Amino acid sequence: AAANIGVVGLAVMGSNLARNLASREGNTVAVYNRSRTKTDELVQAHPEAGFVPAFSYEEFAASLSKPRTAIIMVKAGGPTDAVIDELVKVFEPGDIIVDGGNAYFPDTIRREKAVRDTGINFVGAGISGGEEGALLGPSIMPGGSDESWTTLGPILKSIAAVAEGEPCVTHIGHNGAGHFVKMVHNGIEYADMQLIAEAYDLIRRGTGKTPAEIADIFAEWNKGELESYLIEITAEVLRQIDAETGKPLVDVILDQAGAKGTGAWTVQTALSLGVPVSGIAEATFARSLSSHPEQRAVASILPGPGTDFAVDDADAFIEDVRQALFASKIIAYSQGFDEIRAGAAEYDWTIDLGAVSKIWRGGCIIRAQFLNRIADAYAEQPELPVLATSPYFADALTRGQAAWRRVVIAATQAGIPSPAFSSSLAYYDGIRADRLPAALVQGQRDFFGAHTYKRIDKEGTFHTLWSGDRTEIEAEDTH
Ligand code: NBP
């Protein structure tokens, strides 16, 4: 037994994670892949890593010191179950199996329970940052038991990204908590990307600026409160010229956005938890809408407002868009953290929301300065019910709301879709409203389904005899 940690699955993520582990003081890394070639290639390409290759699960288990710790980095779903089944056969009680793939958190809850029954620890760990993150330092969101964190914590801390001196990893909570938080991270990523894309589209169509000129605007924004990895790479993408045509690359890329499903999971989960993550939902739907060329071709006959969109004062409009972007971003993150809070309550996890925002400051796709402000907000008020109402964010929304409204009005009048901007504003106006037309919805529900309603002026549950004499009676609560 020569290795203290092992990696199963040596495609791009697994091999980079194995190299990252091997580069840290004190680690010897055992590696195994279903098909032998990947193992041979990795070991030959990186002699400096001192990998201990294994060519069967038995050999892999024998090469690990106890308690054995192995990180699985294979395709999520069936392949993950297949590897767990094999590892359970060769591991012993007290050993630790970590799934670092993009598992759907209910699968992680199921697997954790099944593996725990054998006495082996199972940790579902969300890993963000793509290939580069895996190699140089990802943001890691591990779930699992406290016991497994004792062994695993120092190893994960050694390979995670570092932000302001702190490793971007924390024990999120039990069983599926880590993969749940990773899922919401990806959902927020969808919203952030869509908001940036809408800002770009509005500036381009409103001011006629070229992608390269807009790249300069984003580079400038990246020096202020919007500073983030996504803004930074947006500038790089917009500046890129296609070698073949000489055109901006963004103009030759097909405008159909793909998705691997984590945005949809975030929205589906939010729907079942009853959490309005409208920014993430609109971003996910915007990708779906873009990916139906047959529908878009047919619908192109539908008319727009019939006027050209050209703003009078380009600089003022660009500043309005910047403020609208920041305000909408606050709402998207506020909604995402709301989903984590609701998930924790539903699945009985204790999740420190401030710690979550801190481990997203480095290594992952949504890394940003902004996350420090979220950490501050939860440090001041751990039970904060709506993140957007914390003093810093409430102040930003107060300052930005007029610009935000102007941008949504301009987009609507010009016929430019801005689903994430406008739905975020609608959420803002909804959540702050003194009274909502939900009262009428309750009346309608009571009318056709006797679903009952509550009154503002007295306790109890009521029903109006709509098909009778329309008097009101006290009723059983049928919400
Ligand atoms: P892939 O998701 O492409 O999976 C390929 C790996 O799965 C190979 O090692 C393959 O072995 C192995 N595998 C399969 Br497929 N079926 C197997 C089975 N039945 N038994 C054993 N091994 C099996 O690799 P990836 O892109 O490196 O991603 C790994 C994980 O990390 C995924 O869950 C992914 O969602 C997650 N992730 C990826 C990124 C990213 O940027 N790519 C970021 C964050 C998380 P073989 O070589 O024998 O076919």
Side-chain angles (χ1 to χ4, degrees):
N4 64 315
I5 178 96
V7 177
V8 178
L10 304 175
V12 53
M13 288 294 288
S15 50
N16 278 0
L17 202 72
R19 287 172 59 198
N20 184 351
L21 282 160
S23 72
R24 311 292 162 163
E25 190 69 35
N27 281 342
T28 303
V29 186
V31 288
Y32 171 78
N33 192 70
R34 179 182 59 173
S35 48
R36 185 186 177 117
T37 19
K38 281 201 183 72
T39 313
D40 287 334
E41 279 168 12
L42 177 68
V43 172
Q44 275 160 26
H46 296 283
E48 79 288 351
F51 289 128
V52 181
F55 298 99
S56 69
Y57 285 103
E58 289 77 12
E59 221 186 310
F60 180 71
S63 66
L64 286 165
S65 55
K66 295 178 189 176
R68 299 181 185 86
T69 307
I71 305 180
I72 304 173
M73 288 304 285
V74 301
K75 206 175 183 64
T80 305
D81 282 315
V83 174
I84 293 169
D85 287 348
E86 295 299 328
L87 286 179
V88 164
K89 286 183 207 158
V90 293
F91 275 23
E92 291 170 309
D95 291 349
I96 303 169
I97 298 175
V98 184
D99 173 19
N102 255 342
Y104 186 32
F105 77 93
D107 288 338
T108 304
I109 293 175
R110 167 180 61 77
R111 288 170 183 148
E112 198 274 340
K113 188 173 180 312
V115 174
R116 182 165 19 97
D117 287 345
T118 70
I120 297 168
N121 293 292
F122 182 79
V123 176
I127 300 185
S128 175
E131 295 173 36
E132 192 184 285
L135 182 62
L136 303 174
S139 173
I140 313 176
M141 293 147 256
S145 66
D146 297 339
E147 182 195 345
S148 50
W149 176 244
T150 311
T151 309
L152 199 59
I155 297 173
L156 297 184
K157 280 181 184 168
S158 76
I159 59 163
V162 176
E164 298 181 27
E166 295 176 79
C168 294
V169 55
T170 189
H171 184 213
I172 302 285
H174 292 166
N175 57 54
H179 276 135
F180 185 96
V181 166
K182 171 62 165 49
M183 172 188 78
V184 176
H185 163 283
N186 284 28
I188 291 174
E189 178 184 307
Y190 275 52
D192 213 339
M193 291 168 70
Q194 174 66 20
L195 289 168
I196 292 171
E198 290 178 17
Y200 148 76
D201 197 28
L202 284 162
I203 293 175
R204 187 154 185 198
R205 291 166 72 172
T207 69
K209 288 190 184 296
T210 63
E213 287 168 334
I214 302 172
D216 291 341
I217 294 168
F218 278 102
E220 193 57 38
W221 288 0
N222 203 35
K223 295 176 188 158
E225 59 196 357
L226 280 167
E227 183 193 338
S228 63
Y229 172 73
L230 281 171
I231 294 279
E232 180 191 326
I233 65 160
T234 299
E236 303 234 1
V237 173
L238 290 175
R239 228 188 292 282
Q240 184 73 12
I241 298 295
D242 174 45
E244 214 171 301
T245 59
K247 290 182 182 169
L249 179 67
V250 72
D251 287 347
V252 296
I253 296 177
L254 192 66
D255 61 343
Q256 295 172 23
K260 281 194 172 168
T262 43
W265 289 347
T266 313
V267 179
Q268 283 161 354
T269 304
L271 286 171
S272 57
L273 291 170
V275 182
V277 293
S278 50
I280 300 170
E282 288 296 351
T284 309
F285 288 138
R287 291 195 190 185
S288 315
L289 185 151
S290 76
S291 303
H292 287 286
E294 66 302 337
Q295 290 185 327
R296 291 174 59 190
V298 173
S300 65
I301 57 143
L302 299 172
T307 49
D308 283 343
F309 179 42
V311 297
D312 298 332
D313 183 341
D315 289 344
F317 181 68
I318 291 164
E319 174 55 17
D320 275 0
V321 172
R322 190 190 67 79
Q323 294 207 29
L325 175 56
F326 192 56
S328 304
K329 177 171 164 141
I330 292 170
I331 296 302
Y333 280 68
S334 188
Q335 293 176 340
F337 276 86
D338 199 12
E339 180 164 352
I340 298 177
R341 231 165 42 94
E346 175 72 18
Y347 296 101
D348 216 8
W349 299 317
T350 306
I351 300 183
D352 177 343
L353 298 177
V356 168
S357 68
K358 282 186 169 182
I359 65 164
W360 288 348
R361 289 177 306 175
C364 66
I365 307 300
I366 63 170
R367 60 185 182 259
Q369 271 303 318
F370 178 79
L371 291 157
N372 277 315
R373 305 284 82 77
I374 297 180
D376 294 345
Y378 286 118
E380 272 165 38
Q381 210 183 327
E383 301 301 323
L384 186 64
V386 181
L387 175 61
T389 62
S390 74
Y392 176 83
F393 294 124
D395 180 55
L397 292 167
T398 307
R399 279 185 285 113
Q401 66 148 329
W404 196 7
R405 293 181 195 285
R406 282 194 295 273
V407 169
V408 171
I409 290 167
T412 307
Q413 279 177 336
I416 297 175
S418 56
F421 272 11
S422 46
S423 75
S424 303
L425 181 55
Y427 173 89
Y428 172 83
D429 284 330
I431 200 83
R432 66 175 193 83
D434 179 35
R435 214 170 139 69
L436 291 167
L440 176 58
V441 173
Q442 283 298 82
Q444 293 163 333
R445 295 178 71 237
D446 189 56
F447 189 103
F448 64 69
H451 292 302
T452 75
Y453 50 86
K454 296 198 187 302
R455 297 181 55 101
I456 58 170
D457 52 1
K458 56 183 174 191
E459 287 290 308
T461 301
F462 302 92
H463 168 57
T464 290
L465 299 168
W466 295 104
S467 43
D469 64 1
R470 302 208 166 184
T471 54
E472 183 180 78
I473 58 166
E474 285 232 34
E476 287 271 303
D477 190 341
T478 63
H479 273 68

